[in-house]
Amino acid sequence: MSTYFDYAATCPIDEEALEAYVKASSEFYGNTRSLHDPGTKAEVLLSHCRKTLANLLGVNKEGIYFTSGGTESNLLAMEGLMKAGKGNHLITSAAEHSSVINSAKKLEADGYEISWVPLTMEGTIDVRELENLMRENTVLVCIQHVNSDIGTIQPIRRIRKVCDEWGALLHSDCVQSFGKVDLNSITPYLDSFSLSSHKVYGPKGVGALYINPSVSFQPLLPNGTHESGVRAGTINTPGIAAFTTAAAKSIRELHKRQSKIESLKREFLTALKDIRNHITVVCESVNSVPIIGLCMHGLEGHWVMLEANRHGYAFSTGSACQVRSEGSPSILEAVGISGEEAKSFIRLSFSHEQTSADIQGLVECLKEIVSSYSVLSS
C-alpha cells in the first residue's frame, strides 16, 4: 500500500462525509424539483446544505450554486460573467488551472479578447502588470487563490483594488485554498469563486460556485430548472450533503489542521538538508497550504515519481488536470524555470492525518533515489 502524498490531486473521503452520503442516498433520494413528499424532503436538505456552506464562507446563500466540481464552476462563472458585461476583455494568467485556461481560450475563439498577466519570480501575480493590462472594456479578471502546483497564495485584496479602479469583476478559483486557509478573509473581495468537494475530503463529482447576488448574469444554458436556472441537471443531493459535512469539518478544524500542515512542511524541508544541493524548492515558504514543488536536479520528474511509487510513495509531477503534454506545469515557466529544469519537477501535497514517520520515510525515499542516480551516472 502506498504512502500517499498527492492530496492536492484528490483526497480520500472522510468517514463522517461518507456516512452523510449513505444516509442521504437512502433517506433523501427524491428529486429536489419534484413536488411530492420525497422531493420536498430532499429540497429541505439541499436548502440546509446551501445555508450551511454560505455561513461557513460568510456569503449570501442566494449566491451559492452546487455544481459537479471546480471545472464546471469556473466555466459557468467565466461564461456567465463575461456575457453579462458591457465589454469583451478578460484578464487571467498562464498559471491558472486548465479549466480556466481552456475556458479563456474558448471565449477567445468566440470573439472575446484575452490578456495574460505575468507572475513574479515569487509565484504571485505581478500587480503592476495587471494595472497596465486593464482597459475600459475589461469585464472580468480570473486569478486563482492558491496555485495547485507550487502552493503560492495570490494577493486577492490588491487585485480587487485594481479591479475596482476599472469597474471589473473578480473571479477566483479557490479549489486549493478552501479548507486550507481562511477564505472568509477574501470572500468579501470576490464577485465569484469556485470550490471542489474532493479537495476537502468530500466525494468526487461535487462542487460549488458562488456568484454575488448583486451581479446580474446569464446562465450558460437557458431555461434550466435546477439551481435557480444557473446549472442544468438533476441535483446530486447525497454528494452535496457529504460535501457540506466534509467542508464543515474542515472549517471547524481549520486551525488545528493548519498547524499540523505547517509542522509537517517544516519537518520535511529540514530533513532534506542532506540532499538540498540536488534539489530546488520552487517558491519555498512554510504556510498552511499543503503543497511543495521540487525540481530534482538532473532527474526526470516522471522517473522520480515512478521510482518513488515502486518504493511505496505516491506523489505527482503536477496537477492532474494541468500538466502539459511534455510533462511540466505551466507555472514553472512563469516563475523563470527553464524547460529542461521543469522536466525534473515533482509535486508533494500533504495531509493533516500524516505523521512524522510518513515524512521521514518520504525523505529517505528521495535520498535513496538521488543516491541511486548518482551511482548510476558516475
Side-chain angles (χ1 to χ4, degrees), residues 113-144:
E113 295 182 68
I114 313 297
S115 293
W116 304 88
V117 61
L119 274 67
T120 67
M121 297 298 285
E122 289 73 39
T124 58
I125 292 299
D126 190 324
V127 179
R128 289 188 177 181
E129 286 300 319
L130 175 62
E131 292 173 338
N132 293 334
L133 290 171
M134 298 294 289
R135 309 176 193 166
E136 293 290 342
N137 68 336
T138 301
V139 176
L140 181 64
V141 175
C142 291
I143 302 296
Q144 64 186 175

Side-chain angles (χ1 to χ4, degrees), residues 15 24 79 111 120 164 180 293 362:
E15 285 296 327
E79 289 275 348
T120 67
D164 285 343
K180 282 79 172 179
L362 174 63

Side-chain angles (χ1 to χ4, degrees), residues 260-268 351 354-356 359:
K260 181 66 178 295
I261 291 297
E262 289 175 11
S263 175
L264 292 173
K265 289 175 70 174
R266 193 173 290 110
E267 179 177 0
F268 174 76
S351 167
Q354 289 173 322
T355 66
S356 177
I359 298 298

Side-chain angles (χ1 to χ4, degrees), residues 38-57:
T40 301
K41 185 177 180 181
E43 175 61 33
V44 169
L45 176 60
L46 180 65
S47 296
H48 171 74
C49 291
R50 196 184 314 278
K51 182 178 180 180
T52 300
L53 190 61
N55 288 340
L56 292 172
L57 294 161

